[in-house]
């Protein structure tokens, strides 16, 4: 039975998804693992590809738009895809501690998988710039959290040096196993659509994910699982857009703290993905990010974090260029629950407070 048939069988038999084994088992033949690799998994992957008609309607011309909702992974972001691989490979060689710098999601995923594997997890974060949900996760998952007076880029410099000097394995996306795991998201998109989309819209921070998707699309294409390759459309926040402007940003700033990164480590690979796919990079303002964030939440029932909404904001900004009848996939990299402060401060909800506790008052507010 081919891998694809095997996957389909998994998806249509028995209680829904009950036997999804996690992405290493599902895509074992495509990943650098062997029988000697102890698989550390939280059964990540197999996230849904959801149509978003309200976004498609804004573009018109028969364009179909889906979101790849990777915020439904076990720790709430796409980082789990890379971390199951990085931690499994670290465990394979007897590693006892891992370290990462993080704007939040990597730290949550590293902590969860490392602790599950019985390792210590050290995470360096920019003090005051990590969303509450992510910080809560790192603490609950048992990481040793070091908040520095400095931004993500500085934290990454430090952990790279630490990994050279001390017995700790670096699990940022400079670790090649991370991207290997993350490329499976592209496999899932093709498995779901039967072909690659015309456009793949994705937020960029360190640009590991765009690199991994491009790798995955190319591998499936070369194996004949897709007839086409997508254009890779990468988006950054205007206050933190080093790839868009081909520069380094000393003091990046955006409401989308996940992608508050001024000097992306995967810069060259991201540029190669853009070149190779005839893609494009563009920046979106915080206001545009929040508009897309509210549209997804309020019209589609899909709650993502602001960094993730950059993919939809970017698509809407470039909508005039989408070919008629095209299929577009926007990657929603993280769950909205990660950043409750952003949600509370950016919504158009009717939130009535301090009401008298009786039916009359409630009915009056309801307009009855
Ligand atoms: C929700 O957690 O860099 O371009 O330290 O959390 O692969 O870096 C997070 C990045 C997009 C950007 N969306 O991905 C970290 C971190 C969300 C993210 C990105 C991140 P890359």
């Amino acid at each position: 039975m081919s891998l694809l048939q095997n996957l389909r069988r998994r998806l249509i038999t028995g209680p829904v998804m009950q036997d999804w084994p996690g992405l290493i088992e599902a895509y074992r033949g495509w990943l650098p693992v062997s029988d000697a690799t102890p698989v550390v998994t939280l059964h990540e992957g197999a996230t849904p590809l959801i149509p978003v008609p309200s976004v498609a309607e804004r573009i018109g011309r028969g364009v179909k738009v889906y979101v790849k909702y990777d915020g439904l992974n076990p720790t709430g972001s796409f980082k789990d895809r890379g971390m199951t691989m990085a931690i499994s490979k670290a465990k394979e060689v007897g590693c006892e501690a891992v370290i990462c710098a993080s704007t939040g999601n990597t730290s949550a995923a590293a902590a969860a998988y490392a602790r599950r594997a019985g390792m210590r997890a050290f995470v360096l974060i920019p003090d005051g710039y990590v969303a509450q949900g992510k910080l809560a996760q790192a603490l609950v998952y048992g990481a040793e959290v070091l908040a520095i007076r400095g931004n993500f880029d500085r934290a990454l410099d430090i952990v790279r040096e630490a990994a050279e000097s001390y017995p700790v394995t670096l699990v940022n996306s400079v670790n090649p196993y991370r991207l290997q795991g993350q490329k499976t998201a592209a496999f899932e998109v093709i498995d779901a659509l039967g072909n690659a989309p015309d456009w793949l819209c994705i937020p960029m921070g360190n640009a590991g994910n765009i690199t991994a998707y491009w790798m995955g699309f190319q591998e499936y294409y070369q194996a004949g699982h897709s007839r086409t390759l997508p254009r890779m459309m990468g988006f950054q926040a205007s206050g933190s857009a080093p790839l868009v402007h081909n520069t380094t940003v000393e003091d990046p700033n955006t409401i989308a703290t996940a992608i508050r990164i001024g000097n992306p480590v995967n810069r060259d690979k991201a540029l190669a993905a853009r070149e190779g796919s005839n893609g494009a990079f563009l920046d979106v303002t915080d206001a545009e990010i929040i508009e897309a964030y509210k549209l997804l939440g309020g019209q589609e029932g899909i709650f993502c974090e602001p960094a993730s909404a950059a993919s939809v904001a970017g698509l809407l900004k470039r909508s005039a260029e989408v070919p008629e009848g095209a299929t577009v996939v926007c990657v929603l990299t993280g769950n909205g629950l990660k950043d409750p402060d952003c949600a509370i401060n950016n919504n158009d909800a009717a939130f009535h407070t301090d009401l008298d506790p009786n039916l009359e008052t409630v009915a009056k507010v309801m307009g009855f």
Side-chain angles (χ1 to χ4, degrees):
M1 192 185 283
S2 79
L3 181 72
L4 204 59
Q5 285 168 325
N6 192 30
L7 270 172
R8 295 230 164 90
R9 185 186 58 80
R10 285 182 194 289
L11 295 176
I12 59 178
T13 57
V16 181
M17 297 292 207
Q18 275 300 303
D19 63 350
W20 174 260
L23 60 85
I24 292 180
E25 291 306 343
Y27 293 106
R28 181 171 271 274
W30 301 84
L31 295 168
V33 291
S34 71
D35 292 344
T37 312
V39 175
V40 182
T41 182
L42 288 162
H43 296 231
E44 59 296 310
T47 55
L49 192 66
I50 308 173
V52 283
S54 67
V55 177
E57 251 167 50
R58 289 198 174 194
I59 302 172
R61 295 179 287 110
V63 172
K64 290 178 282 298
V65 184
Y66 300 85
V67 292
K68 177 66 172 163
Y69 194 15
D70 248 2
L72 290 186
N73 274 300
T75 80
S77 86
F78 73 98
K79 303 286 184 182
D80 295 343
R81 294 181 180 277
M83 217 50 82
T84 184
M85 275 297 300
I87 298 295
S88 295
K89 294 302 285 187
K91 193 171 168 71
E92 183 177 341
V93 296
C95 152
E96 290 177 358
V98 299
I99 192 166
C100 67
S102 181
T103 57
N105 281 326
T106 300
S107 68
Y113 285 81
R115 299 298 298 140
R116 194 169 171 85
M119 299 173 192
R120 291 177 76 182
F122 298 102
V123 306
L124 261 74
I125 57 171
D127 203 353
Y129 289 93
V130 167
Q132 285 287 306
K134 303 175 189 182
L135 182 58
Q137 287 180 291
L139 297 171
V140 167
Y141 293 142
E144 295 164 62
V145 180
L146 296 92
I148 63 158
R149 293 187 302 273
N151 61 26
F152 169 85
D153 302 285
R154 184 72 200 111
L156 187 61
D157 289 343
I158 296 168
V159 297
R160 290 178 93 156
E161 274 186 62
E164 279 170 24
S165 311
Y166 306 106
V168 289
T169 299
L170 186 61
V171 293
N172 280 105
S173 60
V174 284
N175 178 322
Y177 298 121
R178 280 275 313 277
L179 302 189
Q180 287 291 321
Q182 286 172 214
K183 77 183 180 188
T184 60
F187 297 166
E188 290 178 15
V189 168
I190 292 173
D191 286 340
L193 294 175
N195 198 33
D198 297 295
W199 281 24
L200 191 281
C201 298
I202 188 166
M204 296 187 297
N206 260 316
N209 213 24
I210 191 171
T211 302
Y213 263 91
W214 181 232
M215 199 192 313
F217 283 127
Q218 285 177 296
E219 288 183 14
Y220 248 32
Y221 174 77
Q222 278 150 17
H225 290 319
S226 178
R227 299 181 301 283
T228 58
L229 286 165
R231 289 185 70 186
M232 302 298 289
M233 312 299 280
F235 300 103
Q236 297 196 291
S238 299
S240 180
L243 293 168
V244 176
H245 304 300
N246 202 14
T247 176
T248 299
V249 178
E250 288 302 324
D251 190 15
N253 197 22
T254 169
I255 194 167
T257 52
I259 50 174
R260 187 174 168 271
I261 294 171
N263 188 19
V265 291
N266 298 296
R267 179 188 296 272
D268 293 343
K269 292 176 187 154
L271 292 173
R274 182 177 68 179
E275 291 286 313
S277 72
N278 187 30
F281 294 167
L282 185 75
D283 65 306
V284 286
T285 64
D286 281 6
E288 288 162 341
I289 287 173
I290 291 302
E291 194 192 332
Y293 172 85
K294 287 189 202 168
L295 177 67
L296 288 166
Q299 303 291 318
E300 299 287 3
I302 298 173
F303 190 21
C304 67
E305 63 174 287
S308 307
S311 63
V312 172
L315 169 64
L316 290 171
K317 198 163 180 169
R318 292 198 89 109
S319 59
E321 297 162 49
V322 184
E324 188 173 340
T327 297
V328 179
V329 170
C330 297
V331 182
L332 298 187
T333 45
N335 197 297
L337 293 168
K338 294 272 191 176
D339 195 344
D341 294 324
C342 177
I344 298 291
N345 292 322
N346 296 280
N347 65 76
D348 300 325
F351 183 22
H352 309 279
T353 57
D354 198 28
L355 302 180
D356 290 336
N358 60 59
L359 176 62
E360 196 189 346
T361 306
V362 170
K364 195 170 164 209
V365 172
M366 289 161 72
F368 296 118

